[in-house]
Amino acid sequence: MARDSQAALVALNRFGFGARGGASGDLVNAASDPRGFVKAELNRAYGLLLELPGLQSTPALAAAVFAYQAEVKLAREAAAKAGAAASEAAPPATDAMAPRRNLSLDSAAAGMSGKMSAMEAPEKGGATAPVPSTPMQSTEAMQPQVQPTAQPLNVIQKTFRAEALARLQRAMIADCGFTERLVTFWSNHFCISANKGELARIWAGSFEREAIRPHVLGRFVDMLKAAEQHPAMLFFLDNQQSLGPDSRAGQNRKRGLNENLAREIMELHTLGVGGGYTQDDVTSLARIITGWTFAGRQGQLGTPGTFVFNTNAHQPGAQLLLGKSYADNGVAQGEAALKDIARHPSTAKFIATKFARHFVADEPPPSLVARLQEVFRKSDGDLGALAAALLDSDEAWQAPQTKIRSPYEFLVATGRLLMQLPDDPTRYLGGLNLLGQPLWTPAGPNGFPDTNAAWAAPEGMKLRLDIAAQVASRLADNIDPRDLLELVAADAASPETRRTIERAESRQQALALLLMSPEFQRR
């Protein structure tokens, strides 16, 4: 069988994470049978699960974070008492000498505090976008600085980093990476944000492992149910705060509906904007899923960190949704609604379009979208069949490679090519922060963008070049970039790319240029 390097490049870049370095032979193997090379991963569904020592379940992580929060509270209370006692024992302050805080106790309490957010400290060792100096910062820089002692990572930070490392390592070692690309697609579709709070950060990885991975090649309705009932999603979109106005809890607390989850289910997860629903439908779905919550630290409703249905918070009575009445039969009322929404024609169209846009083009061929939509509908949302239909479609292989890799895809592809299997996620987390795609931390419930307009902006490409140059300065001495080009593209590499790499002034420059070449950046 003739080898097709161009189709191999499409197989590895469009559908996977790119060729691995060393003796993997990925491009050669893909060139022999491009479609078969990618589709082989669909027959290894067991590889989707991520069950490793040290990765804990959501309830176990809930117990850990609740215990940690209790320790922080005790430390703060002790610090406050000690500070009050010290104030009473200290001589009165004079007008010339303002009272000073007990810095050691403040530091102890701060060391126990671990709430992380995008506006606070990044992950340990991670880089963030540079902040321009202000006059105040410049003035302070002139003063003697006492370097604070590095605080040990707390359980939330440790867990986030362990989950990130497991995900990165799996992407690095995958043959092609198609199923891992499917994981990232569906995880972004049903996204949460680690910046929501401590529970969201410690649950970000377990949400993906428990709600997304088991269903990537399964049925959409099962993934939908798993995602919407997962404690991380309920916390992210505040459904634990939603009370039926006529429920016992709603009447006692004088609070009502929170429509966040219901709105995002319809707008972002299933039907899509313009999918045939109204504001009345959003309100009806919000009523239907009142009572969907998770057990808290006291465990009054169940094991902390597990999904529970709180009857006292549920809006009583039948509800009309998308023209159909749903009887009030507890949690089954919401599950029946999700099943029907998952099978709605608008959901098939919305998912097919988004799926094709991610893998093929910002404006995917209408014929491809129509075929994927029909497969989704006829197979009752079989996501394995949807993935196979994508790979079987000529349009998916013939479309020009115009889409640029996302920051995550770029960094993973770089690690794969240079055989940099990480044992610490710091560099990758820092790179993702710098490039605007912090892991599991989109700015909103619509996830990270999936178009060239988001990732191909000049400033973003300049930052990629900076990272490529940094990587090259560390690793290029023992690498011949011309050999790497054969692993990346072989005879599919353009004459321009070959000349550029061959004429580079140094190996470092050549490697950086290779990492920024169209053959490496585009898919």
Side-chain angles (χ1 to χ4, degrees):
M1 180 182 296
R3 292 179 174 173
D4 187 341
S5 295
Q6 183 59 47
L9 190 63
V10 173
L12 285 161
N13 288 8
R14 174 164 294 165
F15 302 112
F17 280 119
R20 293 168 295 181
S24 67
D26 287 341
L27 191 78
V28 173
N29 293 333
S32 299
D33 181 10
R35 298 193 193 204
F37 178 75
V38 182
K39 290 181 74 173
E41 289 197 357
L42 298 181
N43 298 322
R44 298 193 291 268
Y46 61 86
L48 282 164
L49 301 181
L50 198 55
E51 299 172 346
L52 300 174
L55 300 184
Q56 301 182 67
S57 67
T58 294
L61 293 173
V65 76
F66 291 150
Y68 165 72
Q69 290 171 342
E71 292 176 5
V72 171
K73 182 180 179 181
L74 289 175
R76 286 174 174 164
E77 291 173 350
K81 290 180 181 179
S87 298
E88 293 176 1
T94 66
D95 292 341
M97 179 86 68
R100 299 185 57 177
R101 295 179 301 163
N102 188 318
L103 297 181
S104 62
L105 292 172
D106 285 349
S107 298
M112 294 295 295
S113 176
K115 186 170 183 178
M116 302 289 290
S117 71
M119 302 303 293
E120 296 174 354
E123 294 300 321
K124 181 182 178 186
T128 56
V131 179
S133 297
T134 64
M136 176 62 73
Q137 290 170 324
S138 298
T139 301
E140 291 176 349
M142 299 295 292
Q143 305 302 319
Q145 296 290 320
V146 177
Q147 294 298 325
T149 302
Q151 297 292 338
L153 296 177
N154 61 49
V155 66
I156 299 165
Q157 296 164 321
K158 288 179 180 177
T159 298
F160 187 89
R161 291 167 63 83
E163 296 278 7
L165 182 60
R167 189 201 218 228
L168 286 164
Q169 289 178 337
R170 176 61 62 83
M172 296 292 180
I173 65 175
D175 288 346
C176 172
F178 182 48
T179 52
E180 285 301 301
R181 283 281 305 282
L182 292 173
V183 169
T184 61
F185 170 81
W186 289 113
S187 184
N188 192 54
H189 180 77
F190 290 105
C191 73
I192 68 164
S193 177
N195 274 349
K196 175 73 173 183
E198 291 178 330
L199 284 175
R201 183 162 289 270
I202 202 169
W203 282 342
S206 66
F207 169 74
E208 184 175 279
R209 286 188 289 109
E210 296 167 356
I212 304 300
R213 285 183 177 275
H215 308 290
V216 161
L217 299 179
R219 296 169 67 241
F220 177 76
V221 68
D222 294 331
M223 185 186 290
L224 178 65
K225 175 184 173 183
E228 311 305 356
Q229 290 186 344
H230 196 280
M233 182 68 74
L234 297 169
F235 176 75
F236 175 54
L237 293 176
D238 304 309
N239 209 65
Q240 80 279 11
Q241 300 177 11
S242 185
L243 304 177
D246 301 318
S247 68
R248 182 180 302 175
Q251 292 178 332
N252 289 341
R253 302 181 189 180
K254 306 303 181 183
R255 280 181 24 214
L257 293 176
N258 185 307
E259 296 184 350
N260 287 354
L261 180 58
R263 180 175 292 104
E264 307 314 350
I265 287 174
M266 303 184 85
E267 178 180 328
L268 300 177
H269 299 169
T270 57
L271 304 172
V273 175
Y277 65 92
T278 66
Q279 175 56 41
D280 288 342
D281 290 316
V282 172
T283 301
S284 292
L285 182 57
R287 292 186 184 125
I288 287 172
I289 60 175
T290 48
W292 286 30
T293 186
F294 59 91
R297 71 177 69 244
Q298 302 300 327
Q300 295 176 341
L301 298 175
T303 302
T306 59
F307 170 77
V308 292
F309 179 71
N310 184 0
T311 304
N312 288 335
H314 182 65
Q315 174 68 15
Q319 300 295 332
L320 186 67
L321 175 65
L322 295 171
K324 179 177 178 178
S325 180
Y326 292 86
D328 182 7
N329 53 358
V331 68
Q333 184 184 33
E335 292 175 347
L338 288 187
K339 286 182 181 179
D340 289 340
I341 294 173
R343 292 172 176 143
H344 194 283
S346 293
T347 298
K349 181 179 180 180
F350 179 63
I351 296 300
T353 303
K354 190 171 182 178
F355 199 66
R357 180 180 297 121
H358 173 77
F359 282 101
V360 180
D362 287 358
E363 297 296 333
S367 58
L368 174 61
V369 173
R371 188 175 302 111
L372 295 177
Q373 181 177 344
E374 187 70 0
V375 168
F376 186 94
R377 186 184 65 82
K378 286 187 174 181
S379 68
D380 195 22
D382 185 329
L383 301 183
L386 183 72
L390 174 73
L391 298 179
D392 286 336
S393 299
D394 290 340
E395 299 98 322
W397 293 86
Q398 294 169 355
Q401 290 177 268
T402 56
K403 285 191 73 75
I404 194 167
R405 280 173 161 155
S406 71
Y408 183 79
E409 293 162 2
F410 166 57
L411 294 178
V412 168
T414 299
R416 283 168 63 90
L417 179 63
L418 300 175
M419 298 182 294
Q420 296 296 300
L421 183 66
D423 56 12
D424 183 314
T426 296
R427 289 187 186 275
Y428 289 92
L429 293 175
L432 290 170
N433 290 344
L434 185 67
L435 295 174
Q437 195 183 20
L439 186 62
W440 294 317
T441 314
N446 55 337
F448 291 109
D450 206 5
T451 60
N452 280 351
W455 304 125
E459 177 60 23
M461 298 309 294
K462 171 62 167 61
L463 292 173
R464 292 191 191 210
L465 178 58
D466 291 344
I467 289 177
Q470 292 171 13
V471 169
S473 68
R474 290 189 295 111
L475 302 175
D477 287 345
N478 298 318
I479 294 174
D480 188 334
R482 294 170 297 183
D483 293 338
L484 285 185
L485 181 60
E486 297 306 312
L487 297 179
V488 169
D491 55 8
S494 69
E496 293 79 8
T497 296
R498 288 192 178 279
R499 283 196 299 269
T500 299
I501 292 174
E502 289 170 355
R503 295 174 180 176
E505 297 178 358
S506 64
R507 285 191 173 189
Q508 287 90 340
Q509 186 184 69
L511 179 55
L513 291 171
L514 170 59
L515 296 179
M516 293 302 296
S517 68
E519 290 84 349
F520 194 80
Q521 287 288 336
R522 296 193 176 274
R523 59 174 182 79

